[in-house]
Amino acid sequence: MKSRTVIFCAKKIITMNRSRPFATHVAVRDGRILAAGTLEEVSGWGDATVDNTFADKILMPGFVEGHAHLLEGSMWEHVYVGYFDRCDPDGKVWPGLKSIDDVVARLAEAARELEDPAQPLLAWGFDPIFFGDGPRMGAHDLDRVSAQRPVVILHMSNHLLNVNRATLARVGIDRHTAIDGVPKDENGDPSGELQEFAAMFPVFQLLSETVGFSFGENKNAAWNFANIARRVGITTSTDLANPLTETGVANLRAATDDPAFPIRLIPAFAPLLFKGQEGPAHLKAVCEHNTDKLRFGLVKLVLDGSIQGFTARLRWPHYYRNPGNTGTSGNGLWLLPPSEVASQIASYHREGFQVHMHTNGDEASEVAIEAVSQVLTTHPRQGHRHTLQHAQLVDIAMLRRMRELGMCANFFSNHIYYWGDAHYAKTLGPERAQRMNAAASALHCGVPFGMHSDAPVTPLGPLFTAWCAVNRRTSSGRVLGEEERITVADALHAITLGTAWTLKMDQDIGSIECGKFADFAVLEDDPLAVSPEHLKDVRVWGTVIGGQVMPAHKA
């Protein structure tokens, strides 16, 4: 039976194809693009049905989210206690909380609704950096919520936790616990703040056993995440840290095998529980499950923590205003020791995998770049595209070296809006804060890059991410690093073909041209016609994935 050809008509098609940047029609067959151009130009492929659904709309390549987590699809099962207003998947706006007392009050209200007095209460989105220079939240604050049930708050960055004394007792953390990342109070007892994975791991184990918390491995999380992504124009997204357990992989297959699943998913393997060659062997086996909608093959290594959590690794002169909770070194925490970075990269590089490295601080980025250089000296390989994720403080010298080595960057542009003021005044100081997420410098140096939200750290929304890179405005309205602004056209490239390149998916997605998947973002407004200040306000009608129309809001 001959496949059906559909020609979608649009007011304007922004193709991201350099040889044909704009079109009015796109022909689709078997889920892929036959041609884009005028109606006459795309009609030569035989009988076709012309679909005018988008005749008054703008089509773009489906947006590509290069750093997000399926946690975005499950965190709303728990209590939001963030500083900024945030909209849940049902459209309800949860007001941001402006004091620790406000956080305690919301948690106390949620605790009263739990019948089991021993059930842990999990909340998320908190960040103490927004609460001035007073005392940080301690275990005694959360004891006001409950002295019996465990109370756990996952920070907005996902790099720290706050817990009450009941939680500390339940997981066996006390004054004798010798883990870097467990600050002590003036009496020598744990303060209730736990920093980074080693310190947080016992709490995650408790939550997994009691409330079913996981890092987005369950099928419902994938569906919830995908539906949020669809509403903001995303057709391909990473899950950029997944343990890829047998159950987790099976759940991802079950979700993505459903024809109605609205995005393509690219999980990145987080090899925390594997040693030596066990990790590459496991990933190689998992790649047998690859499909058009589910693609394995990325590896995620985490070198340092978060700048706003004071756990990122910074070069001298380190932190601008050190709050005294930055690990034993006074300069953040190494989550992967520098001495092990090259060997970790090499084990996956040799097997042909692509490595993505979380590096927030410039010291961490420098270590990662040097490690890639060492690996390439011993094991030369063209087209590896190893990528620095966040790369928030890379400078010109590092960018030039990245270009020489064939590396990519994926910038956390949303960071400028949410934490720019804090970085200017508290963590980095004015000069370094000005060059954060240096997209213009990356363009100048020829380093391929994408941009991301790191959801649930910040909300999914590629057009907002593009707006951040174009305008570089903080939440207070300060322009942070005017010289690092990029054009709207360059920002749109970054959230489509640019990010696709960093994922080694540019042969299939990122532009509207012959042979690629028929994945489109459908917009009500032309992002190239609105003022740069209003780029974030461009309305998303929905998406098309593999030629299947996916309205943002189903009737």
Side-chain angles (χ1 to χ4, degrees):
M1 183 177 176
K2 188 175 180 179
S3 299
R4 176 171 171 261
T5 299
V6 176
I7 297 175
F8 291 105
C9 168
K11 182 179 180 181
K12 180 179 182 181
I13 300 175
I14 304 169
T15 68
M16 293 297 161
N17 177 5
R18 186 185 297 273
S19 64
R20 186 62 184 271
F22 303 108
T24 55
H25 295 75
V26 56
V28 174
R29 183 192 298 165
D30 295 331
R32 289 186 179 265
I33 298 165
L34 284 170
T38 65
L39 177 59
E40 180 181 5
E41 289 170 331
V42 305
S43 297
W45 293 92
D47 293 341
T49 301
V50 177
D51 188 324
N52 290 308
T53 303
F54 309 135
D56 62 343
K57 306 195 187 307
I58 309 298
L59 294 188
M60 282 191 61
F63 299 141
V64 184
E65 173 55 78
H67 189 143
H69 303 276
L70 293 184
L71 271 174
E72 172 74 6
S74 58
M75 289 312 298
W76 286 104
E77 298 172 5
H78 310 290
V79 185
Y80 176 67
V81 292
Y83 184 83
F84 293 94
D85 294 356
R86 192 141 172 182
C87 184
D88 70 19
D90 295 326
K92 177 180 177 180
V93 175
W94 290 81
L97 305 177
K98 308 305 182 184
S99 70
I100 290 176
D101 285 343
D102 289 343
V103 172
V104 169
R106 183 172 289 178
L107 289 171
E109 180 181 357
R112 287 192 290 270
E113 297 176 3
L114 298 177
E115 296 180 0
D116 182 355
Q119 179 183 340
L121 175 64
L122 174 59
W124 64 285
F126 177 72
D127 195 327
I129 205 165
F130 298 123
F131 295 140
D133 296 323
R136 293 168 74 88
M137 177 182 282
H140 61 279
D141 291 302
L142 297 186
D143 286 347
R144 293 158 54 195
V145 178
S146 176
Q148 289 79 39
R149 77 167 73 251
V151 179
V152 179
I153 300 179
L154 181 61
H155 281 216
M156 192 175 180
S157 69
N158 291 337
H159 284 268
L160 296 90
L161 290 173
N162 275 93
V163 300
N164 63 348
R165 291 189 178 94
T167 306
L168 293 170
R170 189 88 166 259
V171 300
I173 293 177
D174 58 25
R175 62 171 48 228
H176 304 295
T177 300
I179 299 176
D180 200 7
V182 182
K184 305 295 173 60
D185 62 20
E186 63 276 5
N187 299 316
D189 294 314
S191 68
E193 183 174 281
L194 304 177
Q195 304 168 356
E196 302 300 346
F197 188 76
M200 298 190 297
F201 181 69
V203 179
F204 287 142
Q205 279 189 311
L206 170 66
L207 295 174
S208 174
E209 294 166 359
T210 54
V211 299
F213 176 82
S214 72
F215 286 94
E217 290 188 271
N218 66 74
K219 186 166 60 174
N220 288 338
W223 269 100
N224 291 341
F225 176 92
N227 283 323
I228 297 170
R230 169 177 53 84
R231 290 198 286 270
V232 293
I234 294 169
T235 55
T236 297
S237 178
T238 57
D239 175 28
L240 211 72
N242 193 307
L244 299 186
T245 63
E246 183 177 352
T247 299
V249 171
N251 286 338
L252 291 175
R253 275 297 304 266
T256 56
D257 283 350
D258 189 323
F261 192 76
I263 65 170
R264 304 185 196 279
L265 194 58
I266 309 174
F269 177 45
L272 293 172
L273 304 179
F274 292 84
K275 297 180 180 179
Q277 287 303 115
E278 293 176 356
H282 178 73
L283 183 55
K284 189 177 293 186
V286 169
C287 285
E288 297 296 320
H289 293 279
N290 281 355
T291 68
D292 282 349
K293 276 193 176 177
L294 183 64
R295 189 77 60 92
F296 299 103
L298 301 187
V299 181
K300 168 78 173 293
L301 302 179
V302 181
L303 273 66
D304 68 340
S306 77
I307 300 172
Q308 68 273 21
F310 296 92
T311 58
R313 293 291 306 197
L314 304 184
R315 295 189 302 194
W316 184 91
H318 311 312
Y319 284 95
Y320 188 55
R321 300 276 188 261
N322 192 327
N325 71 321
T326 52
T328 56
S329 70
N331 180 30
L333 299 169
W334 285 112
L335 306 191
L336 180 62
S339 61
E340 298 178 15
V341 176
S343 62
Q344 283 273 359
I345 295 171
S347 64
Y348 294 95
H349 172 89
R350 288 195 302 265
E351 298 298 329
F353 295 121
Q354 186 191 15
V355 182
H356 287 240
M357 292 153 280
H358 164 118
T359 62
N360 267 312
D362 46 8
E363 185 180 23
S365 291
E366 197 168 56
V367 165
I369 294 166
E370 175 58 28
V372 170
S373 178
Q374 293 176 22
V375 170
L376 291 174
T377 299
T378 309
H379 308 286
R381 182 180 131 206
Q382 292 185 336
H384 57 81
R385 301 189 203 175
H386 298 320
T387 299
L388 295 189
Q389 289 287 341
H390 304 323
Q392 296 207 74
L393 289 175
V394 291
D395 59 17
I396 290 289
M398 283 189 271
L399 286 165
R400 286 173 176 158
R401 196 163 184 219
M402 289 171 67
R403 173 62 177 172
E404 292 171 356
L405 296 171
M407 297 178 68
C408 306
N410 192 12
F411 293 121
F412 195 176
S413 298
N414 289 17
H415 224 272
I416 299 295
Y417 176 81
Y418 285 101
W419 287 281
D421 291 317
H423 294 320
Y424 187 95
K426 296 182 180 181
T427 66
L428 300 174
E431 181 185 348
R432 288 182 296 175
Q434 299 281 348
R435 66 172 168 87
M436 293 190 74
N437 300 292
S441 291
L443 281 171
H444 174 75
C445 293
V447 175
F449 68 90
M451 303 185 303
H452 64 268
S453 69
D454 200 8
V457 177
T458 69
L460 286 172
L463 289 168
F464 176 80
T465 299
W467 175 87
C468 289
V470 168
N471 294 279
R472 292 184 67 92
R473 289 193 180 275
T474 69
S475 59
S476 72
R478 180 198 305 272
V479 175
L480 193 63
E482 183 174 1
E483 298 304 316
E484 290 296 344
R485 286 173 162 178
I486 60 175
T487 67
V488 171
D490 285 331
L492 295 178
H493 181 277
I495 61 173
T496 53
L497 196 53
T499 301
W501 176 271
T502 70
L503 300 174
K504 302 187 84 169
M505 287 283 288
D506 54 298
Q507 74 282 3
D508 286 322
I509 61 173
S511 61
I512 299 176
E513 55 185 303
C514 182
K516 294 193 176 185
F517 290 127
D519 296 353
F520 314 134
V522 185
L523 310 179
E524 300 278 9
D525 314 296
D526 183 350
L528 294 174
V530 302
S531 68
E533 292 80 10
H534 291 103
L535 181 59
K536 63 182 174 57
D537 303 316
V538 169
R539 297 165 296 166
V540 176
W541 181 92
T543 61
V544 176
I545 182 164
Q548 184 177 357
V549 177
M550 301 275 186
H553 301 284
K554 295 181 178 179

